[in-house]
Amino acid sequence: MRAAPDVSRLRAVLIGALAVLALTAVPRAATAVPAHDPGPTPFVRAARAVETANHAPPAPAWAGPHGALRPLAALSARRLRTADLVAAAKWETGQPIDDPERERQVLAAAARQTDEVGGDPVATVAVFRDQIEANKLVQRALHRRWRAAPDQAPTERPDLTRVRVEINRINGGLVRALAASEPSRTAWLCPVALLPEAARAHRDQALDGPHGVALARALRSVCAPPAIASAGRWPRSPVAP
């Protein structure tokens, strides 16, 4: 009998490949020096990217057996786009990046919405924990950059309440996508099938290095074959801290 694939190794390959992709695919515009007109600030660009992504028509469904993974990768990349705005809002107010109360609210809402759509709340919350940590990776990277180069720090403060409305909307899409993709997420070849979808999302959202590394973090728990789930790798309580 052929041995089952080593899912941990496949997942490591996925994360490594995404990290390499992120570090080698920094958009040219990110390093270009403006000639005369600097154009919109980075945070105006981030806001426009989020607005465009959130109102763009959905990508055509892939006819392959694991096409349900595409929305998960796309929504995860869109969610990471909001990290720039959150980081700027917290920078201007001095608010810490870690916000345990907000994180508990997000996890509780994800578990509740998953129950409503008939999904697995434990699996969903595992993914949302990764989404939250990925978003904070980007925020920390930006805050380090701004402390090292104050002239690059934001001069405008996004409305964090409005940004969170967009994040909540994306969260709802993620909950539905997770519920709809359970057969693909629990397949042994899920990590292999997820890699090209993550690469597509990376390209479509023009993610830079830090965002690309964070995308790998955000997708870490998407694939969970039954053997992994039954081994207790997911948290016992969906909303436990």
Side-chain angles (χ1 to χ4, degrees), residues 159-211:
D159 184 338
L160 188 56
T161 300
R162 290 187 60 186
V163 175
R164 284 177 170 172
V165 168
E166 292 295 336
I167 293 174
N168 291 342
R169 200 189 73 82
I170 296 172
N171 289 349
L174 274 168
V175 166
R176 293 187 295 274
L178 285 163
S181 62
E182 184 173 354
S184 295
R185 292 188 298 103
T186 56
W188 283 110
L189 289 179
C190 173
V192 175
L194 181 60
L195 179 56
E197 300 307 329
R200 174 189 294 270
H202 185 287
R203 183 191 67 237
D204 290 349
Q205 291 296 317
L207 300 183
D208 63 6
H211 290 77

Side-chain angles (χ1 to χ4, degrees), residues 21-42:
L21 177 65
L23 294 173
T24 57
V26 178
R28 188 179 306 168
T31 56
V33 177
H36 299 290
D37 180 11
T41 67

